[in-house]
Amino acid sequence: MLKAKHHPIVYPFFRHYTEYLLRRHFGKVRIVGDFEDRGLPILLIANHVGWWDGFWAMHLRNKVFKRKFHFMMREDQLLRYRFFNRTGGFSVNKGSREVLKTLAYTSQLLDDERNMVLIYPQGRLQSLYRKEFVFEKGIERLVDGRQSKLHIVLSANMIDYLADKKPSVTMYIRDFGGTLSRAGLERGYNDFYADCLRTQTNIEG
């Protein structure tokens, strides 16, 4: 597997480039939700809707979490876009024993309070209008026994145009406080996402 690298030039550039891209392509960028920093490593669980996902997570890192950014990416894509490896991307190769190495590496990252790790436990791109997510196996290996050692944050990204030429993106965040199991995380995320959809439908231009 490919471990994450944080190039001394590329990584800071990516942080600033993210903010430039969001200002250029979105009319409004909002973060909705509270975060109280407890000095713990952060596991960010997000919906996976498209090309912008990593940039939105980096924006959260820049504005809210203030941790070293890491994210899991399919190995074939990471080999194709090596730039992302130098900004915190590390590989996962599903359907092979390599996935166990990836999970072990992710677990090591989450032992360090200076880190945040972004994952998409549904494992593939899905419409933001989806109402229910099914998490793949493996996430339980990352959270088992970490009740007081890990800060789990749920994230959902929603887009609307309304009367504007450029879309607006709303990034919802919420601390997870349920049972640390795949079923518990899946249920907690689906409840959170349903609340986000209800809030989003009431937004007006």
mmCIF file of all heavy atoms in Angstrom, residues 126-141:
data_model
loop_
_atom_site.group_PDB
_atom_site.id
_atom_site.type_symbol
_atom_site.label_atom_id
_atom_site.label_comp_id
_atom_site.label_asym_id
_atom_site.label_seq_id
_atom_site.Cartn_x
_atom_site.Cartn_y
_atom_site.Cartn_z
ATOM 1 N N GLN A 126 -22.049 8.046 -4.110
ATOM 2 C CA GLN A 126 -23.500 7.897 -4.054
ATOM 3 C C GLN A 126 -24.149 9.273 -4.086
ATOM 4 O O GLN A 126 -23.562 10.256 -3.626
ATOM 5 C CB GLN A 126 -23.924 7.147 -2.782
ATOM 6 C CG GLN A 126 -23.455 5.695 -2.750
ATOM 7 C CD GLN A 126 -23.839 4.984 -1.463
ATOM 8 O OE1 GLN A 126 -23.865 5.571 -0.403
ATOM 9 N NE2 GLN A 126 -24.147 3.710 -1.573
ATOM 10 N N SER A 127 -25.364 9.345 -4.603
ATOM 11 C CA SER A 127 -26.078 10.607 -4.714
ATOM 12 C C SER A 127 -26.271 11.252 -3.349
ATOM 13 O O SER A 127 -26.530 10.570 -2.345
ATOM 14 C CB SER A 127 -27.446 10.367 -5.361
ATOM 15 O OG SER A 127 -28.247 11.526 -5.268
ATOM 16 N N LEU A 128 -26.168 12.580 -3.314
ATOM 17 C CA LEU A 128 -26.405 13.286 -2.060
ATOM 18 C C LEU A 128 -27.876 13.238 -1.665
ATOM 19 O O LEU A 128 -28.239 13.605 -0.541
ATOM 20 C CB LEU A 128 -25.898 14.727 -2.130
ATOM 21 C CG LEU A 128 -26.519 15.706 -3.133
ATOM 22 C CD1 LEU A 128 -27.756 16.363 -2.550
ATOM 23 C CD2 LEU A 128 -25.513 16.773 -3.497
ATOM 24 N N TYR A 129 -28.760 12.794 -2.583
ATOM 25 C CA TYR A 129 -30.181 12.675 -2.263
ATOM 26 C C TYR A 129 -30.518 11.313 -1.665
ATOM 27 O O TYR A 129 -31.664 11.054 -1.320
ATOM 28 C CB TYR A 129 -31.022 12.900 -3.525
ATOM 29 C CG TYR A 129 -30.792 14.263 -4.130
ATOM 30 C CD1 TYR A 129 -30.082 14.397 -5.311
ATOM 31 C CD2 TYR A 129 -31.262 15.415 -3.505
ATOM 32 C CE1 TYR A 129 -29.841 15.649 -5.866
ATOM 33 C CE2 TYR A 129 -31.025 16.671 -4.045
ATOM 34 C CZ TYR A 129 -30.310 16.774 -5.228
ATOM 35 O OH TYR A 129 -30.073 18.006 -5.761
ATOM 36 N N ARG A 130 -29.510 10.460 -1.552
ATOM 37 C CA ARG A 130 -29.723 9.158 -0.944
ATOM 38 C C ARG A 130 -30.150 9.327 0.507
ATOM 39 O O ARG A 130 -29.640 10.187 1.229
ATOM 40 C CB ARG A 130 -28.439 8.338 -1.022
ATOM 41 C CG ARG A 130 -28.606 6.866 -0.679
ATOM 42 C CD ARG A 130 -27.282 6.144 -0.823
ATOM 43 N NE ARG A 130 -27.410 4.724 -0.581
ATOM 44 C CZ ARG A 130 -27.696 3.845 -1.520
ATOM 45 N NH1 ARG A 130 -27.856 4.234 -2.759
ATOM 46 N NH2 ARG A 130 -27.811 2.560 -1.227
ATOM 47 N N LYS A 131 -31.081 8.495 0.956
ATOM 48 C CA LYS A 131 -31.622 8.655 2.297
ATOM 49 C C LYS A 131 -31.090 7.634 3.288
ATOM 50 O O LYS A 131 -31.337 7.761 4.500
ATOM 51 C CB LYS A 131 -33.156 8.594 2.257
ATOM 52 C CG LYS A 131 -33.790 9.754 1.501
ATOM 53 C CD LYS A 131 -35.290 9.689 1.554
ATOM 54 C CE LYS A 131 -35.911 10.884 0.826
ATOM 55 N NZ LYS A 131 -37.401 10.853 0.868
ATOM 56 N N GLU A 132 -30.386 6.619 2.792
ATOM 57 C CA GLU A 132 -29.865 5.610 3.708
ATOM 58 C C GLU A 132 -28.533 5.085 3.201
ATOM 59 O O GLU A 132 -28.377 4.802 2.015
ATOM 60 C CB GLU A 132 -30.855 4.456 3.868
ATOM 61 C CG GLU A 132 -30.438 3.448 4.920
ATOM 62 C CD GLU A 132 -31.523 2.425 5.217
ATOM 63 O OE1 GLU A 132 -32.643 2.588 4.689
ATOM 64 O OE2 GLU A 132 -31.250 1.489 5.960
ATOM 65 N N PHE A 133 -27.573 4.978 4.097
ATOM 66 C CA PHE A 133 -26.237 4.518 3.753
ATOM 67 C C PHE A 133 -25.954 3.194 4.438
ATOM 68 O O PHE A 133 -26.355 2.980 5.589
ATOM 69 C CB PHE A 133 -25.188 5.544 4.190
ATOM 70 C CG PHE A 133 -25.324 6.879 3.509
ATOM 71 C CD1 PHE A 133 -26.137 7.864 4.042
ATOM 72 C CD2 PHE A 133 -24.648 7.133 2.328
ATOM 73 C CE1 PHE A 133 -26.262 9.093 3.424
ATOM 74 C CE2 PHE A 133 -24.771 8.360 1.695
ATOM 75 C CZ PHE A 133 -25.585 9.339 2.245
ATOM 76 N N VAL A 134 -25.259 2.324 3.725
ATOM 77 C CA VAL A 134 -24.823 1.049 4.282
ATOM 78 C C VAL A 134 -23.301 1.077 4.353
ATOM 79 O O VAL A 134 -22.632 1.262 3.335
ATOM 80 C CB VAL A 134 -25.303 -0.135 3.421
ATOM 81 C CG1 VAL A 134 -24.761 -1.447 3.976
ATOM 82 C CG2 VAL A 134 -26.834 -0.162 3.353
ATOM 83 N N PHE A 135 -22.763 0.904 5.548
ATOM 84 C CA PHE A 135 -21.315 0.955 5.740
ATOM 85 C C PHE A 135 -20.688 -0.404 5.442
ATOM 86 O O PHE A 135 -21.232 -1.447 5.810
ATOM 87 C CB PHE A 135 -20.977 1.354 7.174
ATOM 88 C CG PHE A 135 -21.222 2.810 7.480
ATOM 89 C CD1 PHE A 135 -21.834 3.655 6.554
ATOM 90 C CD2 PHE A 135 -20.840 3.344 8.698
ATOM 91 C CE1 PHE A 135 -22.053 4.994 6.838
ATOM 92 C CE2 PHE A 135 -21.054 4.678 8.995
ATOM 93 C CZ PHE A 135 -21.655 5.506 8.063
ATOM 94 N N GLU A 136 -19.533 -0.372 4.804
ATOM 95 C CA GLU A 136 -18.804 -1.599 4.529
ATOM 96 C C GLU A 136 -18.099 -2.103 5.787
ATOM 97 O O GLU A 136 -17.884 -1.359 6.742
ATOM 98 C CB GLU A 136 -17.772 -1.359 3.417
ATOM 99 C CG GLU A 136 -18.390 -1.053 2.069
ATOM 100 C CD GLU A 136 -17.347 -1.004 0.970
ATOM 101 O OE1 GLU A 136 -16.154 -0.793 1.274
ATOM 102 O OE2 GLU A 136 -17.721 -1.201 -0.194
ATOM 103 N N LYS A 137 -17.721 -3.369 5.747
ATOM 104 C CA LYS A 137 -16.980 -3.948 6.871
ATOM 105 C C LYS A 137 -15.608 -3.293 6.970
ATOM 106 O O LYS A 137 -15.044 -2.851 5.983
ATOM 107 C CB LYS A 137 -16.816 -5.449 6.681
ATOM 108 C CG LYS A 137 -18.116 -6.235 6.731
ATOM 109 C CD LYS A 137 -17.849 -7.718 6.523
ATOM 110 C CE LYS A 137 -19.144 -8.526 6.572
ATOM 111 N NZ LYS A 137 -18.890 -9.966 6.331
ATOM 112 N N GLY A 138 -15.090 -3.244 8.165
ATOM 113 C CA GLY A 138 -13.745 -2.736 8.379
ATOM 114 C C GLY A 138 -13.697 -1.553 9.321
ATOM 115 O O GLY A 138 -12.730 -1.376 10.057
ATOM 116 N N ILE A 139 -14.751 -0.733 9.305
ATOM 117 C CA ILE A 139 -14.731 0.472 10.140
ATOM 118 C C ILE A 139 -14.656 0.121 11.618
ATOM 119 O O ILE A 139 -14.073 0.855 12.422
ATOM 120 C CB ILE A 139 -15.949 1.380 9.839
ATOM 121 C CG1 ILE A 139 -15.755 2.736 10.512
ATOM 122 C CG2 ILE A 139 -17.254 0.714 10.263
ATOM 123 C CD1 ILE A 139 -16.779 3.766 10.114
ATOM 124 N N GLU A 140 -15.212 -1.049 11.981
ATOM 125 C CA GLU A 140 -15.180 -1.441 13.384
ATOM 126 C C GLU A 140 -13.742 -1.662 13.882
ATOM 127 O O GLU A 140 -13.446 -1.495 15.069
ATOM 128 C CB GLU A 140 -16.020 -2.696 13.625
ATOM 129 C CG GLU A 140 -15.556 -3.948 12.907
ATOM 130 C CD GLU A 140 -16.040 -4.041 11.473
ATOM 131 O OE1 GLU A 140 -16.675 -3.084 10.983
ATOM 132 O OE2 GLU A 140 -15.789 -5.077 10.855
ATOM 133 N N ARG A 141 -12.836 -2.006 12.971
ATOM 134 C CA ARG A 141 -11.438 -2.188 13.351
ATOM 135 C C ARG A 141 -10.784 -0.864 13.751
ATOM 136 O O ARG A 141 -9.789 -0.852 14.478
ATOM 137 C CB ARG A 141 -10.644 -2.803 12.193
ATOM 138 C CG ARG A 141 -11.007 -4.245 11.869
ATOM 139 C CD ARG A 141 -10.256 -4.715 10.647
ATOM 140 N NE ARG A 141 -10.515 -6.107 10.342
ATOM 141 C CZ ARG A 141 -9.742 -7.127 10.702
ATOM 142 N NH1 ARG A 141 -8.635 -6.877 11.394
ATOM 143 N NH2 ARG A 141 -10.045 -8.370 10.386
#
